């Protein structure tokens, strides 16, 4: 009997309406469009409204994915949400909020905390359940709103991130689907990208609030170094797992954090630039949403066709990383 693959039968994405351009940011902090474009490739990003939770971004993305999959929410047996910016602190999980919002009453639901690698981690988990026959129809979401955890006075971080959501519906198939995933973590680097206060280790204090310790703090240079290596190592590992040469990939979609990270990694790997997808100029780093958002756009633009081999790779806080090879099935 041939192995069951977790096939993506529907994909959708959503980004909030409000746009912040580099020029807008230059009016808020000491920066310029030229600096942001040359150091990151980002020109603009979308920012959620104050009362718009991450589930509000995820639901429209999920609706599109379910429509394409020709499934109803009640067909879903599991919802796995990659996010590090849940609707509510501590609990409930955003997965449960989404389950209620879309009426997926037959689905178990939980969140995965792997920051910008959240979608790849969630996809890898969902894939196991399909391959071992436990579930048939699984919803995988990657959604984040890091705008709510940014220090809008810190020019080193506030220019990098944007909000968004992406969703994929998975179902078993004998020909198309996720051929392999590879996950990893370098926990010793946890301190390079963190929100220092507001958790159990350091509950938020009045002084912490005044000093913005409840916002993202990053050692950009360390994260950059880690990311370039993570892209190369994880793509190499997952290609080796399925015995595929990088030349066989029709498209490579790395996490959309910084065009310089992508350029460095693909140059070092000797990967052709015209087979690398990038949309970070319009969205910035949307964290766990970045890969499903790019997959959805690339598919709608005709850059991915049925039968194509697509490489995806994520990296982020943790430090986490992960990659996958998908034989595209829609
Ligand atoms: O999903 C993972 C998320 N994280 C990342 O992807 C971050 C990875 N790291 C990076 O992308 C880069 O490290 C950054 C884009 C964050 C920074 O680029 P860099 O080339 O490493 O710059 P730097 O941190 O070394 O800063 C160089 C200078 C500094 O000024 P001085 O000390 O040389 O006077 C910064 O203060 O650039 C300054 N700077 C800025 N200047 C204008 C930092 N941010 C800005 C800014 N506008 N927005």
């Amino acid at each position: 009997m041939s192995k069951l693959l977790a096939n993506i039968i529907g994909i959708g994405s959503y980004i909030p309406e409000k746009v912040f351009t580099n020029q807008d940011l230059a009016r808020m902090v000491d920066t310029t469009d030229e600096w942001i474009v040359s150091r990151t490739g980002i020109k603009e990003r979308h920012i959620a409204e104050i009362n718009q939770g991450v589930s509000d971004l995820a639901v429209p993305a999920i609706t599109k994915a379910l429509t394409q999959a020709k499934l109803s929410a009640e067909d879903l047996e599991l919802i796995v949400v990659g996010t590090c910016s849940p609707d509510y602190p501590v609990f409930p999980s955003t997965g449960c909020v989404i389950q209620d919002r879309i009426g997926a009453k037959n689905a178990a639901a939980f969140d995965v905390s792997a920051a910008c690698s959240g979608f790849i981690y969630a996809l890898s988990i969902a894939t196991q359940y399909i391959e071992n026959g436990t579930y048939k129809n699984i919803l995988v979401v990657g959604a984040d709103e890091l705008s709510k955890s940014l220090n809008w006075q810190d020019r080193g971080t506030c220019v990098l991130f944007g909000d968004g959501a992406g969703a994929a519906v998975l179902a078993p198939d004998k020909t198309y689907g996720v051929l392999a995933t590879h996950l990893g973590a370098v926990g010793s680097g946890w301190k390079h990208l963190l929100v220092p206060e507001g958790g159990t280790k350091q509950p938020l204090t009045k002084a912490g609030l005044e000093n913005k310790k409840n916002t993202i703090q990053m050692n950009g240079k360390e994260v950059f170094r880690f990311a370039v290596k993570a892209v190369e190592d994880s793509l190499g590992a997952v290609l080796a797992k399925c015995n595929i040469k990088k030349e066989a990939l029709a498209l490579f979609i790395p996490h959309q954090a910084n065009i310089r990270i992508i350029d460095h990694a693909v140059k070092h790997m000797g990967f052709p630039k015209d087979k690398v997808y990038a949309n970070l100029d319009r969205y910035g780093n949307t964290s766990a949403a970045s890969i499903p958002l790019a997959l959805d756009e690339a598919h709608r633009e005709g850059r991915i066709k049925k039968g194509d081999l697509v490489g995806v790779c994520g990296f982020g806080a943790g430090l986490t990383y992960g990659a996958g090879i998908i034989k595209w099935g829609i």
Side-chain angles (χ1 to χ4, degrees):
M1 210 176 81
S2 62
K3 184 182 157 184
L4 284 178
L5 299 177
N7 187 25
I8 296 179
I9 60 168
I11 185 128
S13 60
Y14 178 80
I15 41 152
E17 274 173 31
K18 192 164 62 188
V19 177
F20 271 28
T21 64
N22 291 349
Q23 286 80 5
D24 293 329
L25 290 173
R27 284 189 282 275
M28 296 162 64
V29 288
D30 182 14
T31 191
T32 60
D33 175 53
E34 196 277 328
W35 193 96
I36 302 171
V37 171
S38 65
R39 298 292 179 114
T40 71
I42 300 165
K43 293 181 182 148
E44 57 186 40
R45 70 289 290 144
H46 292 244
I47 302 294
E49 298 296 335
I50 194 73
N51 60 353
Q52 210 174 14
V54 82
S55 72
D56 297 312
L57 307 189
V59 168
I62 294 165
T63 305
K64 290 180 207 167
L66 281 171
T67 303
Q68 187 170 57
K70 297 191 176 68
L71 289 185
S72 81
E74 289 188 15
D75 296 323
L76 296 172
E77 293 160 292
L78 179 68
I79 299 171
V80 191
V81 181
T83 189
C84 57
S85 46
D87 276 14
Y88 300 100
V90 188
F91 48 62
S93 71
T94 302
C96 286
V97 176
I98 287 173
Q99 191 241 32
D100 177 48
R101 294 273 306 273
I102 65 173
K105 61 179 192 222
N106 301 312
F110 63 91
D111 292 359
V112 175
S113 171
C116 299
S117 311
F119 180 79
I120 302 287
Y121 267 63
L123 181 73
S124 181
I125 293 166
T127 296
Q128 314 308 310
Y129 279 116
I130 287 188
E131 288 179 358
N132 69 26
T134 305
Y135 295 124
K136 284 198 172 61
N137 301 323
I138 304 183
L139 174 67
V140 178
V141 177
D144 267 314
E145 259 185 40
L146 292 185
S147 65
K148 301 256 168 79
S149 295
L150 287 171
N151 174 358
W152 288 97
Q153 288 156 7
D154 174 15
R155 66 180 183 174
T157 51
C158 77
V159 303
L160 302 176
F161 297 95
D163 301 332
V169 177
L170 306 185
D173 194 277
K174 288 187 178 148
T175 311
Y176 302 102
V178 178
L179 300 184
T181 56
H182 173 82
L183 305 180
V186 181
S188 59
W190 64 267
K191 55 186 90 58
H192 296 316
L193 187 46
L194 86 163
V195 175
E197 291 195 10
T200 53
K201 184 76 175 170
Q202 181 55 66
L204 186 60
T205 59
K206 192 159 173 275
L209 190 61
E210 277 159 13
N211 293 316
K212 308 247 192 272
K213 298 284 192 198
N214 58 333
T215 63
I216 293 169
Q217 324 232 320
M218 182 178 70
N219 180 339
K221 283 208 185 311
E222 284 294 340
V223 177
F224 195 105
R225 243 191 304 274
F226 155 77
V228 171
K229 189 166 162 15
V231 171
E232 186 172 357
D233 290 357
S234 63
L235 184 68
V238 80
L239 282 167
K241 252 187 198 175
C242 31
N243 202 18
I244 286 174
K245 295 217 179 327
K246 60 180 186 297
E247 289 73 21
L249 295 182
L251 197 66
F252 176 43
I253 302 183
H255 170 47
Q256 305 286 305
N258 181 328
I259 199 68
R260 283 167 54 229
I261 293 175
I262 297 175
D263 286 349
H264 269 69
V266 297
K267 192 172 168 205
H268 203 245
M269 287 190 286
F271 195 83
K273 242 182 133 174
D274 60 336
K275 284 189 181 182
V276 179
Y277 192 79
N279 62 7
L280 61 84
D281 55 324
R282 285 172 287 134
Y283 304 121
N285 179 349
T286 58
S287 187
S290 114
I291 288 172
L293 176 59
L295 272 172
D296 182 33
E297 279 204 357
H299 179 234
R300 280 189 281 118
E301 287 165 8
R303 299 273 313 263
I304 313 174
K305 296 181 193 69
K306 192 166 183 172
D308 279 353
L309 292 175
V310 183
V312 288
C313 164
F315 54 84
L319 300 166
T320 57
Y321 61 87
I325 304 292
I326 305 164
K327 187 166 184 182
W328 196 253
I330 40 178

